[in-house]
Amino acid sequence: MAMAMSDSGASRLRRQLESGGFEARLYVKQLSQQSDGDRDLQEHRQRIQALAEETAQNLKRNVYQNYRQFIETAREISYLESEMYQLSHLLTEQKSSLESIPLTLLPAAAAAGAAAASGGEEGVGGAGGRDHLRGQAGFFSNPGGASRDGSGPGEEGKQRTLTTLLEKVEGCRHLLETPGQYLVYNGDLVEYDADHMAQLQRVHGFLMNDCLLVATWLPQRRGMYRYNALYSLDGLAVVNVKDNPPMKDMFKLLMFPESRIFQAENAKIKREWLEVLEDTKRALSEKRRREQEEAAAPRGPPQVTSKATNPFEDDEEEEPAVPEVEEEKVDLSMEWIQELPEDLDVCIAQRDFEGAVDLLDKLNHYLEDKPSPPPVKELRAKVEERVRQLTEVLVFELSPDRSLRGGPKATRRAVSQLIRLGQCTKACELFLRNRAAAVHTAIRQLRIEGATLLYIHKLCHVFFTSLLETAREFEIDFAGTDSGCYSAFVVWARSAMGMFVDAFSKQVFDSKESLSTAAECVKVAKEHCQQLGDIGLDLTFIIHALLVKDIQGALHSYKEIIIEATKHRNSEEMWRRMNLMTPEALGKLKEEMKSCGVSNFEQYTGDDCWVNLSYTVVAFTKQTMGFLEEALKLYFPELHMVLLESLVEIILVAVQHVDYSLRCEQDPEKKAFIRQNASFLYETVLPVVEKRFEEGVGKPAKQLQDLRNASRLIRVNPESTTSVV
């Protein structure tokens, strides 16, 4: 009951939506007024959606049925068009044949009929004349038949037929200038792509006695063609393509350095094409051979002096004839050799690269240490064309235009077959180019996060993982090959490292991150780079060389910041003790100084929360030690002098200020306080800096020792009241 009501409601709704005066706005307005609430609207929405899905399914079903009918109709139209064309072709041939009959035959036939009638044999003579005419017409109506060596009216008829057909082909008038050229065979074909077996176009082939003309269809002009190509039969090779659906009724034409694949309408027409092509090529070759023999033959009879007529000829002067050495023959009659070109075509089309290379190896092994007579050379020429096609397909497999998913292992198949084909250098180049594109794409697809360190972690993981996988795959693929490939890999690795450093520097140094952030990022990159040592690949020196300029710029910038901050504090210096107000603040300062390496800071603290040092000196100590710690994370030998000079410049600003204040201050208490701060700098801070630098670098710094051992860092005129900063 409910199902019947639902069906009736759906039918009513469908009729309402299909009505000619349906208005969506008015329909929705009425529906909103009539509904009791949200539930009714939801149910109505579901009914409309179900109706829409049903309508879509019906539409798909109708489209599919109409599409099948359309295909069948198009096929029938194609058949009808082909039959009409054949009928037109036959009528044209008959017309040409009738026009070629000499008019002189008609009076002769009439005279023969009259003579027969006068002799009492009129019926027999008339029938003979008519049979004679029918024989002549039949002879000229088959210009492309087996008889291609006719003369007189036959040759004229062949030429007329060729002229009539080629008048339907645009752009080939120059072909008619060749004397003795006539049409042997013609028919419709479909051309396919030799690499991907995709249908290209419909063509019509005209086989002459010395060449093959290929013309394309003109859809807008029925029965007309456009000239496409002309191939001489001397350099044309015909190859049968095995039926392997969807490759059916196909044959291949090889014209160095290209090849084309055509499909006939059925197996019978394909067989006719193959037979007539081979017969025509054979006839042309025989004709050329006879012409060469006639051209090489002497024009006059040779002057031969017999022994009987020449009594002065000595018998001993006669030289024995040298027997001709027969050329060693190579057996090429085996079935697998005969079918080798076709098998290679099938393997390439089916992407069976291993099978194709196995066949080539088998042939090379068989022909090894064998002579090269013409049949072997011809076979090798056919095989070389397949090798070229196979190489092109393998090169396309490794091109960056292909999908880069699957990692380095996805390229192993194509690389290994290229190496087996003797293309090791090309395989190496294409493999590395493919991996470079993959690395570049992976870096470009990384999302730039707000936190720089998080992005650098992802960047290092993606890049160095890809580099490690590429190195391992390279070692597997190119094991046992020329060592030059490994040199190419090292060059590629350096180029890839440059790509990584560009992305790294753009995010870390160009964005003016703090020195601590930059140091952490460089530390992460170094740690990932050291993982390559597991496979014997050390690129640390490359990353140092590529980052040295950016790190120098970062150290210089941060040094300038510290110097400016120190000068600013020096300008506001009052030489007063620090009062931290709370024990917690004092404890925190002690921990900070301890982390900086100042272990005897307790002796500079006083009662309650007082510190017997100036705020400027304490702030300078923390900032200098922080700079040293971060700079040591960035350190490598190329940065030794840059780091050392930066430290000396920073320390000089502080000690010059203390030296100037000692000479200018007149208050004894303040002067004593200044000396206490100077003692802290010379006896505590500078030794800590020197020790930490030596621990981080591995060797002492003479410049820092000189600063510590000097009682005053800069000697100035005692009478001067200015300081050299």
Side-chain angles (χ1 to χ4, degrees):
M1 184 71 177
M3 182 67 69
M5 293 178 63
S6 176
D7 293 342
S8 62
S11 301
R12 186 169 59 255
L13 177 61
R14 182 184 295 105
R15 287 194 301 271
Q16 186 176 3
L17 295 176
E18 292 176 350
S19 63
F22 176 77
E23 293 185 5
R25 186 184 299 275
L26 181 62
Y27 175 75
V28 173
K29 182 178 179 180
Q30 293 176 355
L31 183 64
S32 301
Q33 292 174 353
Q34 296 173 2
S35 62
D36 295 335
D38 181 64
R39 180 182 297 276
D40 291 344
L41 292 176
Q42 292 289 343
E43 292 177 355
H44 200 81
R45 179 177 179 274
Q46 292 177 359
R47 287 199 296 271
I48 293 177
Q49 187 172 2
L51 184 60
E53 293 176 355
E54 181 182 355
T55 304
Q57 291 295 331
N58 292 333
L59 183 60
K60 290 180 181 178
R61 193 178 301 110
N62 292 333
V63 168
Y64 178 71
Q65 293 177 355
N66 292 336
Y67 181 68
R68 293 181 58 187
Q69 294 176 1
F70 173 77
I71 292 176
E72 293 175 358
T73 305
R75 187 180 294 113
E76 292 297 330
I77 292 174
S78 177
Y79 292 156
L80 179 60
E81 182 181 4
S82 177
E83 291 176 357
M84 292 296 296
Y85 172 74
Q86 292 177 4
L87 179 60
S88 174
H89 178 65
L90 292 175
L91 290 175
T92 303
E93 286 185 350
Q94 293 293 334
K95 179 182 177 182
S96 301
S97 301
L98 291 174
E99 290 176 352
S100 64
I101 298 176
L103 295 177
T104 56
L105 294 177
L106 296 177
S118 63
E121 298 177 354
E122 180 181 356
V124 178
R130 287 191 296 271
D131 291 342
H132 175 73
L133 288 176
R134 282 197 298 269
Q136 293 290 335
F139 174 76
F140 291 120
S141 67
N142 188 24
S147 178
R148 295 191 289 270
D149 296 329
S151 60
E155 292 297 330
E156 184 180 354
K158 294 176 182 179
Q159 183 65 27
R160 284 179 177 272
T161 304
L162 176 63
T163 304
T164 303
L165 286 179
L166 293 184
E167 283 177 353
K168 297 185 178 183
V169 182
E170 296 181 354
C172 68
R173 283 292 181 181
H174 61 282
L175 299 177
L176 303 179
E177 299 175 359
T178 305
Q181 190 177 64
Y182 58 87
L183 184 68
V184 177
Y185 192 81
N186 72 95
D188 295 333
L189 298 168
V190 179
E191 183 175 6
Y192 280 75
D193 183 77
D195 295 329
H196 309 292
M197 301 309 295
Q199 183 172 331
L200 295 180
Q201 58 186 345
R202 294 179 62 188
V203 299
H204 195 90
F206 297 90
L207 177 63
M208 271 71 80
N209 57 324
D210 60 348
C211 62
L212 174 66
L213 185 145
V214 179
T216 57
W217 282 73
L218 292 176
Q220 67 276 14
R221 299 176 60 186
R222 185 170 181 177
M224 296 296 292
Y225 312 95
R226 177 180 288 113
Y227 171 78
N228 178 263
L230 181 68
Y231 303 108
S232 173
L233 294 184
D234 293 329
L236 188 69
V238 187
V239 178
N240 180 27
V241 178
K242 281 187 175 181
D243 289 348
N244 189 6
M247 295 186 300
K248 188 177 180 182
D249 303 328
M250 292 183 175
F251 60 92
K252 177 180 286 191
L253 299 181
L254 301 178
M255 306 77 61
F256 184 81
E258 61 176 316
S259 63
R260 300 177 72 171
I261 292 182
F262 299 100
Q263 183 183 45
E265 185 177 353
N266 51 50
K268 178 183 177 183
I269 296 179
K270 170 190 172 181
R271 186 168 59 254
E272 290 178 358
W273 269 107
L274 294 176
E275 291 175 355
V276 75
L277 278 168
E278 290 296 336
D279 292 343
T280 308
K281 281 173 55 67
R282 193 179 301 110
L284 179 63
S285 176
E286 183 66 21
K287 178 182 177 182
R288 297 283 168 81
R289 187 183 63 79
R290 288 199 305 266
E291 291 175 352
Q292 291 177 358
E293 290 178 353
E294 292 175 359
R299 297 190 177 272
Q303 299 295 330
V304 180
T305 305
S306 64
K307 182 176 180 181
T309 59
N310 189 2
F312 302 100
E313 185 175 4
D314 190 359
D315 294 342
E316 296 180 356
E317 293 181 357
E318 294 184 0
E319 295 182 359
V322 179
E324 295 183 358
V325 180
E326 293 186 1
E327 189 176 19
E328 184 180 352
K329 296 182 179 180
V330 180
D331 183 14
L332 299 180
S333 61
M334 288 176 285
E335 183 179 359
W336 70 272
I337 294 182
Q338 294 292 328
E339 297 181 355
L340 182 65
E342 291 83 357
D343 291 342
L344 289 175
D345 289 335
V346 172
C347 289
I348 294 173
Q350 294 181 344
R351 300 172 60 82
D352 184 10
F353 307 136
E354 295 82 358
V357 179
D358 289 341
L359 288 174
L360 293 172
D361 288 345
K362 184 178 180 181
L363 177 65
N364 292 331
H365 180 71
Y366 177 75
L367 296 179
E368 188 178 5
D369 299 333
K370 285 186 172 60
S372 298
V376 174
K377 292 181 180 179
E378 183 179 356
L379 176 62
R380 288 190 182 274
K382 294 180 180 180
V383 171
E384 285 299 325
E385 174 65 21
R386 271 68 174 190
V387 172
R388 184 187 64 80
Q389 294 178 8
L390 178 60
T391 303
E392 290 178 355
V393 174
L394 293 174
V395 168
F396 178 73
E397 288 292 314
L398 292 174
S399 63
D401 297 334
R402 298 281 290 171
S403 176
L404 298 174
R405 297 180 180 178
K409 292 183 180 179
T411 63
R412 183 182 299 176
R413 186 180 178 213
V415 168
S416 60
Q417 302 314 314
L418 275 176
I419 293 174
R420 291 179 63 190
L421 289 174
Q423 303 282 347
C424 182
T425 302
K426 180 178 289 188
C428 177
E429 177 186 355
L430 293 171
F431 173 78
L432 296 178
R433 189 184 303 169
N434 179 281
R435 296 313 305 154
V439 172
H440 177 71
T441 303
I443 292 177
R444 189 177 56 186
Q445 290 177 350
L446 271 180
R447 294 181 57 187
I448 300 179
E449 305 287 350
T452 301
L453 188 59
L454 177 61
Y455 172 79
I456 295 302
H457 271 288
K458 292 183 178 180
L459 176 65
C460 291
H461 174 73
V462 169
F463 174 76
F464 286 102
T465 301
S466 299
L467 196 63
L468 192 62
E469 292 177 352
T470 301
R472 287 172 176 165
E473 184 63 26
F474 187 90
E475 193 172 6
I476 294 173
D477 291 346
F478 295 91
T481 59
D482 185 11
S483 59
C485 293
Y486 290 90
S487 302
F489 176 78
V490 174
V491 174
W492 173 86
R494 190 189 188 287
S495 175
M497 188 65 74
M499 188 191 313
F500 164 76
V501 170
D502 287 342
F504 182 91
S505 299
K506 188 180 295 183
Q507 190 67 18
V508 175
F509 297 107
D510 293 353
S511 58
K512 304 299 181 183
E513 293 288 342
S514 65
L515 190 65
S516 60
T517 302
E520 286 297 326
C521 293
V522 173
K523 181 181 178 183
V524 170
K526 286 182 179 180
E527 290 175 352
H528 278 82
C529 190
Q530 290 172 357
Q531 295 177 2
L532 299 177
D534 297 341
I535 59 172
L537 185 63
D538 186 7
L539 300 179
T540 308
F541 69 98
I542 293 179
I543 198 171
H544 285 173
L546 296 175
L547 286 176
V548 63
K549 187 176 180 180
D550 291 326
I551 296 178
Q552 284 179 355
L555 292 176
H556 178 75
S557 299
Y558 204 67
K559 175 200 70 175
E560 294 297 331
I561 293 174
I562 295 176
I563 290 176
E564 289 298 323
T566 303
K567 287 182 178 180
H568 179 71
R569 289 192 297 267
N570 290 345
S571 64
E572 299 177 353
E573 179 61 74
M574 302 298 294
W575 293 114
R576 295 176 180 174
R577 292 190 304 163
M578 292 178 62
N579 185 4
L580 299 179
M581 306 300 292
T582 61
E584 290 79 9
L586 179 60
K588 182 179 179 181
L589 178 61
K590 289 180 179 179
E591 290 296 328
E592 290 176 350
M593 298 305 290
K594 185 176 181 181
S595 64
C596 290
V598 182
S599 57
N600 59 344
F601 187 73
E602 291 285 348
Q603 68 185 36
Y604 295 100
T605 58
D607 299 334
D608 296 332
C609 299
W610 289 91
V611 177
N612 297 324
L613 292 173
S614 168
Y615 167 76
T616 301
V617 174
V618 173
F620 169 79
T621 302
K622 293 193 294 183
Q623 203 166 19
T624 302
M625 294 305 300
F627 171 78
L628 178 59
E629 289 296 332
E630 301 301 337
L632 288 176
K633 294 179 183 178
L634 297 168
Y635 177 83
F636 45 86
E638 290 82 358
L639 297 172
H640 182 82
M641 291 306 301
V642 176
L643 176 57
L644 190 56
E645 291 172 359
S646 299
L647 279 175
V648 171
E649 289 185 38
I650 292 172
I651 294 172
L652 278 175
V653 174
V655 298
Q656 285 175 0
H657 175 65
V658 172
D659 178 74
Y660 174 75
S661 300
L662 277 174
R663 290 185 293 100
C664 297
E665 185 60 55
Q666 303 298 327
D667 187 356
E669 291 185 3
K670 285 190 175 182
K671 204 164 189 174
F673 182 68
I674 293 173
R675 287 196 185 95
Q676 188 174 5
N677 281 274
S679 174
F680 176 74
L681 281 176
Y682 283 104
E683 299 175 3
T684 303
V685 177
L686 291 184
V688 170
V689 171
E690 182 183 350
K691 180 181 177 182
R692 185 69 189 93
F693 184 88
E694 184 175 354
E695 290 175 353
V697 174
K699 58 182 178 180
K702 186 176 182 301
Q703 292 87 336
L704 295 178
Q705 292 176 356
D706 294 340
L707 283 176
R708 181 170 59 85
N709 295 331
S711 57
R712 299 183 66 175
L713 299 180
I714 296 182
R715 304 286 183 178
V716 297
N717 188 353
E719 298 178 358
S720 174
T721 59
T722 61
S723 175
V724 180
V725 178

